[in-house]
Amino acid sequence: MSLVTGKITGVSGNLIIVVVDGAITQNEVGYAVKGEQRLKAEVIRIQGNKAFLQVFESTKGLKIGDQVEFTGELLSVNLGPGLLEQIYDGLQNPLPKLAEKYGFFLPRGAVLEPLDQERTWAFTPSVNIGDKVRAGFYLGSVPETQFTHYIMVPFDVKGEWSVVETAPAGNYTVSQQIAVIQDERGNKRSLSMQFQWPVKLPIMAYKTKMMPKEPLVTKVRIIDTFFPVAKGGTYCVPGPFGAGKTVIQQITSRYADVDIVIIAACGERAGEIVETMREFPELTDPRTGRSLMERTIIIANTSSMPVAAREASVYTATTLGEYYRQMGLGVLLLADSTSRWAQAMRELSGRLEEIPGEEAFPDYLESRIAEFYERAGLVELHNGGRGSLTIGGTVSPAGGNFEEPVTQATLKVVGAFHGLSRDRANARRFPSIHPLDSWSRYSSAVPVDIVDYARDFLFRGTEVHQMMMVVGEDGTSLDDFIVYLKSEFVDAVYLQQNGFDPVDAATSPERQNYVSQLIHSLLRKKFEFSSKEDARSYFYDLRQKFIDWNYMEYGSEEFAVQEKLISGLIKG
Ligand code: ADP
Ligand code: MG
């Protein structure tokens, strides 16, 4: 079968219109040929013999009449050992290697193998000749950083096949044969450690998808206690500039109870991406004391890449997350920011002259966002193991207005909402997750009655505070004033947490339970203060002791001593 070619009949920004000489498919990859350069593009719409392609690079210089070669393949990523520790662009080009080869200014059309083709991996087979296998079954494994990376039957294999050859244990490159499988009709297929998968198709080589119920412990108190995330669940973080988005992302990456973290930095300001690429490799993993990159993959768009690559980066990141989920691992995907991704969608839709919906976003915006978050999930694998992919997406609504289409479409599908508040960030109350606007559908690390009771106090405290701004402290009753002091206390000692202190940054669920019980008894206590001044100095003293306590290792001797002091103050 000879591959289809076409001729460009129109160029509009990153969109090219091509008349084709044969059958092509939606999302097929084509290359616009410009002299020595081959510019990667993806078919996004077909009308008769006319195809619309989004080009992943600058279309500068492309002209009517230029040739396009189609590949017959969908936009795909390479899967196999060696993905961890990588920093890729949206098309899975390894950025540090590109920079090494081409310097800071990448030439257009520059590509490199996503996986190191020379490196060898210590492969141990786990199947025997005659074994029946299906897509996603394990053929063997290699060690990759601190994980067992399972080498799987490619996900496009349909039905049951038999193993007819398997390589002995030894060192192999990703492209060397490690097994041969055969179907009922005798068709054979040679397998290596790497294979491809189209980024826009969810990987579903598992038995079942299950309800995400088990908490994904982040060790951030306000999250685990008040607005929890579940393993395999989804959440959204609206992040206005300076609100603490990057810091919370780094904290969750380090402390969340997951194996692998994937960061999709899609099209945020260039400086922020550089920041991510520079800061992440410096982070240490609190579990190992070594680099956090050992269990991280970063997908980042360089500022020179056009909008189409932003779109691709979200899908690439998701596919890599699904791949590691198939190995029975817990994966956390942080997409930053989904608003930029949606803007790319809007720009493209405009060029396609589609009928615009709300705020000029295409009418399929909602379904695209829903499809993205649906790729999260807790799954049961063929061997009975479990893997999860949790997705957290930031949204950067212009002017912090949540009534816009991207935030609204996201809120419909996610399981938790962590609204970052600029006011809290300005007041240096970190993490700046808003305690009243945020919500979660997942279950907390702490009993629900305790959580509800505390939230009620936070709400009432805010009300008293607002009233106090009008009538002044003198016009506020002593009882109301105590409500206010109690809510401020909860905020200061529990909601706020120092992300830069190794002890305070990571509060285990046990400790959260323990401490919240103590706070609960304080909130329930009826105090008999003789004046507001008395009340204020009592809570001030208690708060200081409590904050000191937060910096002490749970279960340590000093922790126990401080606890006696605090309990004494509370019980009076
Ligand atoms: P954004 O990414 O939303 O623009 P950052 O995450 O960079 O904002 O936060 C801005 C600044 O706020 C940080 O440089 C830091 O000083 C402070 N900050 C944010 N989160 C925390 C936190 N959890 N603990 C302490 N300081 C924080
Ligand atoms: Mg930032």
Side-chain angles (χ1 to χ4, degrees), residues 27 29 31 40 42 56 73-81 83 86 88-94 112-115 117 154-156 174 189 192-203 262 297-299 309 311-324 375:
N27 301 123
V29 172
Y31 287 92
K40 195 168 189 172
E42 179 190 14
F56 295 114
E73 284 170 3
L74 301 177
L75 183 67
S76 298
V77 285
N78 273 30
L79 302 173
L83 293 165
Q86 292 290 348
Y88 289 121
D89 70 11
L91 299 174
Q92 216 194 359
N93 292 301
L112 279 177
E113 283 285 349
L115 295 174
Q117 299 295 303
F155 307 133
D156 64 341
V174 289
R189 189 162 159 182
S192 68
M193 292 198 262
Q194 78 177 344
F195 58 88
Q196 294 207 315
W197 183 257
V199 292
K200 288 184 180 167
L201 287 185
I203 296 170
I262 300 179
I297 306 170
I298 296 177
I299 314 291
E311 231 227 324
S313 65
V314 169
Y315 293 103
T316 295
T318 311
T319 308
L320 300 184
E322 288 172 333
Y323 176 62
Y324 280 96
R375 292 177 71 168

Coordinates of all heavy atoms in Angstrom, one line a residue, residues 27 29 31 40 42 56 73-81 83 86 88-94 112-115 117 154-156 174 189 192-203 262 297-299 309 311-324 375:
N27 N -7.3 12.3 12.8 CA -6.1 12.2 13.8 C -4.9 11.5 13.2 O -3.9 11.3 13.9 CB -6.5 11.6 15.1 CG -7.6 12.3 15.8 OD1 -8.6 11.8 16.2 ND2 -7.4 13.6 16.0
V29 N -1.4 11.3 11.2 CA -0.3 12.2 11.2 C 0.2 12.4 9.7 O 0.2 11.4 8.9 CB 0.9 11.7 12.0 CG1 2.2 12.5 11.8 CG2 0.6 11.7 13.5
Y31 N 3.1 14.9 7.2 CA 4.2 15.8 7.3 C 4.2 16.7 6.1 O 4.1 16.3 4.9 CB 5.6 15.0 7.2 CG 5.8 14.3 8.5 CD1 5.4 13.0 8.7 CD2 6.5 14.9 9.6 CE1 5.7 12.3 9.9 CE2 6.7 14.3 10.8 CZ 6.3 13.0 11.0 OH 6.6 12.3 12.1
K40 N 5.6 18.2 11.3 CA 4.6 17.3 11.8 C 3.3 17.9 11.9 O 3.2 19.1 12.4 CB 5.0 16.7 13.1 CG 4.3 15.5 13.5 CD 4.9 14.8 14.7 CE 4.3 13.5 15.0 NZ 5.1 12.7 16.1
E42 N -1.3 17.0 12.2 CA -2.4 16.0 12.5 C -3.7 16.4 11.8 O -4.1 17.6 11.8 CB -2.6 16.0 14.1 CG -3.6 15.1 14.5 CD -4.0 15.2 16.0 OE1 -3.6 16.3 16.6 OE2 -4.6 14.3 16.6
F56 N 2.3 21.2 14.0 CA 2.8 21.4 15.4 C 4.0 22.3 15.4 O 4.7 22.4 16.4 CB 3.2 20.0 15.9 CG 2.0 19.1 16.2 CD1 1.9 18.0 15.4 CD2 1.1 19.4 17.1 CE1 0.8 17.1 15.6 CE2 0.0 18.6 17.3 CZ -0.2 17.5 16.6
E73 N -0.7 6.6 10.2 CA -0.6 6.4 11.7 C -1.2 7.5 12.5 O -1.1 8.7 12.1 CB 0.8 6.2 12.1 CG 1.3 4.8 11.7 CD 2.8 4.7 12.0 OE1 3.5 5.7 12.5 OE2 3.4 3.6 11.6
L74 N -1.8 7.2 13.6 CA -2.4 8.2 14.4 C -1.3 8.9 15.3 O -0.2 8.3 15.5 CB -3.5 7.6 15.4 CG -4.6 6.9 14.7 CD1 -5.6 6.3 15.7 CD2 -5.4 7.9 13.8
L75 N -1.5 10.1 15.7 CA -0.6 10.8 16.6 C -0.3 9.9 17.8 O -1.3 9.6 18.6 CB -1.1 12.1 17.0 CG -0.1 13.0 17.9 CD1 1.1 13.4 17.0 CD2 -0.9 14.2 18.4
S76 N 0.9 9.4 18.0 CA 1.2 8.4 19.0 C 2.4 8.7 19.9 O 3.2 9.6 19.5 CB 1.5 7.1 18.3 OG 0.4 6.6 17.6
V77 N 2.5 8.0 21.0 CA 3.7 8.1 21.8 C 4.4 6.8 21.9 O 3.8 5.8 21.6 CB 3.4 8.6 23.3 CG1 3.1 10.1 23.3 CG2 2.4 7.8 23.9
N78 N 5.7 6.8 22.2 CA 6.5 5.6 22.4 C 6.4 5.2 23.8 O 6.7 6.0 24.7 CB 7.9 5.8 22.0 CG 8.2 5.6 20.5 OD1 7.3 5.8 19.7 ND2 9.4 5.1 20.2
L79 N 6.1 4.0 24.1 CA 6.0 3.5 25.5 C 7.1 2.4 25.7 O 7.3 1.6 24.8 CB 4.6 2.9 25.7 CG 3.4 3.9 25.5 CD1 2.1 3.2 25.6 CD2 3.5 5.0 26.5
G80 N 7.7 2.5 26.9 CA 8.7 1.5 27.2 C 9.6 2.0 28.3 O 9.3 3.1 28.8
P81 N 10.6 1.3 28.8 CA 11.4 1.8 29.8 C 12.2 3.0 29.4 O 12.6 3.1 28.3 CB 12.3 0.6 30.2 CG 12.2 -0.4 29.0 CD 10.9 -0.1 28.3
L83 N 11.1 6.2 30.3 CA 10.3 7.4 30.3 C 10.5 8.3 31.6 O 10.4 9.5 31.5 CB 8.8 7.0 30.2 CG 8.3 6.3 28.9 CD1 7.0 5.7 29.1 CD2 8.3 7.4 27.8
Q86 N 12.4 11.9 32.4 CA 12.5 12.6 31.1 C 11.7 14.0 31.2 O 10.7 14.1 31.9 CB 11.9 11.8 30.0 CG 12.7 10.6 29.6 CD 14.1 11.0 29.0 OE1 14.3 12.1 28.6 NE2 14.9 10.0 28.8
Y88 N 9.9 16.1 28.3 CA 9.5 16.0 26.9 C 8.8 17.2 26.5 O 8.2 17.9 27.4 CB 8.6 14.8 26.7 CG 9.2 13.4 26.8 CD1 8.8 12.5 27.7 CD2 10.2 13.1 25.9 CE1 9.3 11.2 27.8 CE2 10.8 11.8 26.0 CZ 10.3 10.9 26.9 OH 10.8 9.6 27.0
D89 N 8.7 17.5 25.2 CA 7.7 18.5 24.7 C 6.5 17.7 24.4 O 6.4 16.5 24.6 CB 8.3 19.3 23.5 CG 8.4 18.4 22.3 OD1 7.9 17.3 22.2 OD2 9.0 18.9 21.3
G90 N 5.4 18.4 24.0 CA 4.1 17.8 23.7 C 4.1 16.7 22.8 O 3.2 15.8 22.7
L91 N 5.2 16.6 21.9 CA 5.2 15.5 20.9 C 6.3 14.5 21.3 O 6.7 13.7 20.5 CB 5.6 16.1 19.5 CG 4.6 17.1 19.0 CD1 5.1 17.7 17.7 CD2 3.2 16.4 18.8
Q92 N 6.6 14.5 22.6 CA 7.5 13.5 23.2 C 9.0 13.6 22.7 O 9.7 12.6 22.7 CB 7.0 12.1 23.0 CG 7.3 11.2 24.2 CD 7.1 9.7 23.9 OE1 6.7 9.3 22.8 NE2 7.3 8.8 24.9
N93 N 9.4 14.8 22.2 CA 10.8 15.0 22.0 C 11.5 15.3 23.3 O 11.0 16.1 24.1 CB 11.0 16.2 21.1 CG 10.5 16.0 19.7 OD1 10.9 15.0 19.0 ND2 9.6 16.8 19.2
P94 N 12.6 14.6 23.6 CA 13.3 14.8 24.9 C 14.0 16.2 24.8 O 14.9 16.4 24.0 CB 14.3 13.7 25.0 CG 14.4 13.1 23.6 CD 13.2 13.5 22.8
L112 N 13.8 13.9 17.9 CA 14.7 12.9 18.4 C 13.9 11.7 18.9 O 12.7 11.9 19.2 CB 15.5 13.4 19.6 CG 16.8 14.3 19.3 CD1 17.4 14.8 20.6 CD2 17.8 13.5 18.5
E113 N 14.5 10.6 19.0 CA 13.8 9.4 19.6 C 13.4 9.7 21.0 O 14.2 10.1 21.8 CB 14.8 8.2 19.6 CG 15.0 7.5 18.3 CD 13.8 6.7 17.8 OE1 12.9 6.4 18.6 OE2 13.8 6.3 16.6
P114 N 12.1 9.4 21.3 CA 11.6 9.6 22.7 C 12.4 8.7 23.7 O 12.6 9.2 24.8 CB 10.2 9.2 22.6 CG 9.8 9.3 21.2 CD 11.0 9.0 20.4
L115 N 12.7 7.5 23.3 CA 13.4 6.6 24.2 C 14.8 6.4 23.8 O 15.0 6.2 22.5 CB 12.6 5.2 24.3 CG 11.2 5.3 24.9 CD1 10.5 3.9 24.7 CD2 11.2 5.7 26.4
Q117 N 17.7 4.7 22.4 CA 17.7 3.5 21.6 C 19.0 2.6 21.9 O 19.1 1.5 21.5 CB 17.6 3.8 20.1 CG 16.3 4.5 19.8 CD 15.1 3.6 20.0 OE1 15.0 2.5 19.4 NE2 14.2 4.1 20.8
P154 N 1.6 -5.3 23.7 CA 1.1 -4.0 23.2 C -0.4 -4.0 23.3 O -1.1 -5.0 23.1 CB 1.6 -4.0 21.8 CG 2.8 -4.8 21.7 CD 2.6 -5.9 22.7
F155 N -0.9 -2.8 23.5 CA -2.4 -2.6 23.8 C -3.2 -2.8 22.6 O -4.4 -2.9 22.7 CB -2.6 -1.3 24.5 CG -1.7 -1.0 25.7 CD1 -1.0 0.2 25.9 CD2 -1.6 -2.0 26.7 CE1 -0.3 0.4 27.0 CE2 -0.8 -1.8 27.8 CZ -0.1 -0.6 28.0
D156 N -2.6 -2.8 21.4 CA -3.4 -2.9 20.2 C -3.6 -4.4 19.8 O -4.3 -4.7 18.8 CB -2.8 -2.1 19.0 CG -1.4 -2.7 18.6 OD1 -0.8 -3.4 19.4 OD2 -1.0 -2.4 17.5
V174 N 15.7 -1.2 23.9 CA 14.2 -1.2 23.8 C 13.7 -1.7 22.4 O 12.5 -2.1 22.3 CB 13.6 0.2 24.0 CG1 13.7 0.6 25.5 CG2 14.3 1.3 23.1
R189 N 3.8 -12.2 15.7 CA 4.2 -10.8 15.9 C 5.4 -10.8 16.8 O 5.4 -11.4 17.9 CB 3.0 -10.1 16.5 CG 3.3 -8.6 16.6 CD 2.0 -7.8 16.8 NE 2.3 -6.5 17.3 CZ 1.4 -5.6 17.6 NH1 0.1 -5.9 17.5 NH2 1.8 -4.4 18.1
S192 N 9.1 -6.1 21.1 CA 10.3 -5.6 21.8 C 9.8 -4.8 23.0 O 8.6 -4.9 23.3 CB 11.1 -4.6 20.9 OG 10.3 -3.5 20.6
M193 N 10.7 -4.2 23.7 CA 10.2 -3.5 25.0 C 9.5 -2.2 24.7 O 8.9 -1.6 25.6 CB 11.4 -3.3 25.9 CG 12.0 -4.6 26.4 SD 13.0 -4.3 27.8 CE 14.6 -4.3 27.1
Q194 N 9.6 -1.6 23.5 CA 8.9 -0.4 23.2 C 7.8 -0.6 22.2 O 8.0 -1.5 21.3 CB 9.9 0.7 22.7 CG 10.3 0.6 21.3 CD 11.2 1.7 20.8 OE1 11.3 2.7 21.4 NE2 11.9 1.5 19.7
F195 N 6.7 0.1 22.3 CA 5.7 0.0 21.3 C 4.9 1.4 21.3 O 5.1 2.2 22.2 CB 4.7 -1.1 21.5 CG 4.0 -1.2 22.8 CD1 2.8 -0.5 23.1 CD2 4.6 -1.9 23.9 CE1 2.2 -0.6 24.3 CE2 4.0 -2.0 25.1 CZ 2.8 -1.3 25.3
Q196 N 4.1 1.6 20.3 CA 3.4 2.9 20.2 C 1.9 2.8 20.6 O 1.3 1.7 20.5 CB 3.5 3.3 18.8 CG 4.9 3.7 18.4 CD 5.0 4.7 17.3 OE1 4.2 4.6 16.3 NE2 5.8 5.7 17.4
W197 N 1.4 3.9 21.0 CA 0.0 4.0 21.3 C -0.5 5.4 21.0 O 0.1 6.4 21.3 CB -0.3 3.6 22.8 CG -1.8 3.6 23.1 CD1 -2.5 4.6 23.7 CD2 -2.7 2.6 22.7 NE1 -3.8 4.3 23.7 CE2 -4.0 3.1 23.1 CE3 -2.6 1.4 22.0 CZ2 -5.2 2.3 22.9 CZ3 -3.8 0.7 21.8 CH2 -5.0 1.1 22.2
P198 N -1.7 5.5 20.3 CA -2.2 6.8 19.9 C -2.7 7.6 21.1 O -3.4 7.1 22.0 CB -3.4 6.5 19.0 CG -3.4 5.0 18.8 CD -2.6 4.4 19.8
V199 N -2.2 8.8 21.2 CA -2.5 9.6 22.4 C -3.9 9.9 22.7 O -4.3 10.1 23.9 CB -1.7 11.0 22.4 CG1 -0.2 10.7 22.5 CG2 -2.1 11.8 21.2
K200 N -4.7 9.9 21.7 CA -6.1 10.3 21.9 C -7.0 9.1 22.3 O -8.2 9.3 22.5 CB -6.7 11.1 20.8 CG -6.0 12.5 20.8 CD -6.5 13.5 19.7 CE -5.7 14.8 19.9 NZ -5.9 15.7 18.8
L201 N -6.5 7.9 22.3 CA -7.3 6.7 22.6 C -6.9 6.3 24.0 O -5.8 6.0 24.3 CB -7.0 5.6 21.7 CG -7.6 5.6 20.3 CD1 -7.3 4.3 19.6 CD2 -9.1 5.9 20.3
P202 N -7.9 6.2 24.9 CA -7.6 5.8 26.3 C -7.1 4.3 26.2 O -7.5 3.5 25.4 CB -8.9 5.8 27.0 CG -9.8 6.7 26.2 CD -9.3 6.6 24.8
I203 N -6.1 4.0 27.1 CA -5.6 2.7 27.2 C -6.5 1.9 28.1 O -6.7 2.3 29.3 CB -4.1 2.6 27.8 CG1 -3.2 3.3 26.8 CG2 -3.7 1.2 28.1 CD1 -1.8 3.6 27.4
I262 N 3.3 12.9 37.0 CA 3.5 13.4 35.6 C 3.0 14.9 35.6 O 1.9 15.2 36.0 CB 2.8 12.6 34.6 CG1 3.3 11.2 34.6 CG2 2.9 13.2 33.2 CD1 2.6 10.2 33.7
I297 N 7.8 12.5 35.4 CA 8.0 12.8 33.9 C 7.4 14.2 33.7 O 6.3 14.5 34.2 CB 7.2 11.8 33.0 CG1 7.6 10.4 33.3 CG2 7.5 12.1 31.5 CD1 6.7 9.3 32.6
I298 N 8.1 15.0 33.0 CA 7.6 16.4 32.8 C 7.3 16.5 31.3 O 8.2 16.2 30.4 CB 8.6 17.5 33.2 CG1 8.8 17.4 34.8 CG2 8.1 18.9 32.8 CD1 9.8 18.4 35.3
I299 N 6.1 17.0 31.0 CA 5.8 17.3 29.6 C 5.7 18.9 29.5 O 4.8 19.4 30.2 CB 4.5 16.7 29.1 CG1 4.3 15.3 29.5 CG2 4.2 16.9 27.6 CD1 5.2 14.3 28.8
A309 N 0.6 22.2 19.8 CA 1.4 21.3 20.6 C 0.9 21.3 22.1 O 1.1 20.4 22.8 CB 2.9 21.8 20.6
E311 N -2.2 21.3 22.9 CA -3.2 20.3 22.9 C -2.6 18.9 23.0 O -3.0 18.1 23.9 CB -3.9 20.3 21.5 CG -5.4 20.4 21.5 CD -6.0 19.5 20.6 OE1 -5.4 19.3 19.5 OE2 -7.0 18.9 20.9
A312 N -1.6 18.6 22.2 CA -0.9 17.3 22.2 C -0.3 17.0 23.6 O -0.4 15.8 24.0 CB 0.1 17.3 21.1
S313 N 0.2 18.0 24.3 CA 0.9 17.7 25.5 C 0.0 17.1 26.6 O 0.4 16.3 27.3 CB 1.6 19.0 26.0 OG 0.7 19.9 26.4
V314 N -1.3 17.6 26.6 CA -2.2 17.0 27.6 C -2.5 15.6 27.3 O -2.5 14.7 28.2 CB -3.5 17.8 27.5 CG1 -4.6 17.1 28.3 CG2 -3.3 19.2 28.0
Y315 N -2.6 15.2 26.0 CA -2.9 13.8 25.7 C -1.7 12.9 25.8 O -1.8 11.8 26.3 CB -3.4 13.8 24.2 CG -4.7 14.4 24.0 CD1 -4.9 15.7 23.4 CD2 -5.9 13.8 24.5 CE1 -6.1 16.3 23.3 CE2 -7.2 14.4 24.3 CZ -7.2 15.6 23.7 OH -8.5 16.2 23.6
T316 N -0.5 13.5 25.5 CA 0.7 12.7 25.7 C 0.9 12.4 27.2 O 1.1 11.2 27.6 CB 1.9 13.5 25.2 OG1 1.8 13.7 23.8 CG2 3.2 12.9 25.5
A317 N 0.7 13.4 28.0 CA 0.9 13.2 29.5 C -0.1 12.1 30.0 O 0.2 11.2 30.8 CB 0.7 14.5 30.2
T318 N -1.4 12.2 29.5 CA -2.4 11.3 30.0 C -2.0 9.8 29.6 O -2.2 8.9 30.4 CB -3.8 11.7 29.4 OG1 -4.0 13.1 29.6 CG2 -4.9 10.9 30.1
T319 N -1.6 9.7 28.4 CA -1.2 8.4 27.9 C -0.1 7.8 28.7 O -0.1 6.6 29.0 CB -0.9 8.5 26.4 OG1 -1.9 9.2 25.7 CG2 -0.7 7.1 25.7
L320 N 0.9 8.6 29.0 CA 2.0 8.1 29.8 C 1.5 7.6 31.2 O 2.0 6.6 31.7 CB 3.2 9.1 29.9 CG 3.8 9.6 28.6 CD1 5.0 10.5 28.9 CD2 4.3 8.4 27.8
G321 N 0.6 8.4 31.7 CA 0.0 8.1 33.0 C -0.8 6.8 33.0 O -0.6 5.9 33.8
E322 N -1.5 6.6 31.9 CA -2.3 5.3 31.7 C -1.3 4.1 31.6 O -1.6 3.0 32.1 CB -3.2 5.4 30.5 CG -4.4 6.3 30.7 CD -5.1 6.5 29.4 OE1 -4.5 6.4 28.3 OE2 -6.3 6.8 29.5
Y323 N -0.2 4.4 30.9 CA 0.8 3.3 30.7 C 1.3 2.8 32.0 O 1.3 1.6 32.3 CB 1.9 3.8 29.8 CG 3.0 2.9 29.6 CD1 2.8 1.6 28.9 CD2 4.3 3.2 30.0 CE1 3.9 0.8 28.7 CE2 5.4 2.3 29.7 CZ 5.2 1.1 29.1 OH 6.2 0.3 28.9
Y324 N 1.7 3.7 32.9 CA 2.3 3.3 34.2 C 1.2 2.7 35.1 O 1.4 1.8 35.9 CB 3.0 4.4 34.9 CG 4.4 4.5 34.3 CD1 4.7 5.4 33.3 CD2 5.5 3.7 34.7 CE1 6.0 5.5 32.7 CE2 6.7 3.7 34.2 CZ 7.0 4.7 33.2 OH 8.3 4.7 32.7
R375 N -10.3 9.9 31.7 CA -9.2 9.0 31.6 C -8.6 8.7 32.9 O -7.7 7.8 33.1 CB -8.2 9.5 30.6 CG -8.8 9.4 29.2 CD -7.9 10.0 28.1 NE -6.8 9.2 27.8 CZ -6.0 9.4 26.7 NH1 -6.2 10.4 25.9 NH2 -4.9 8.6 26.5

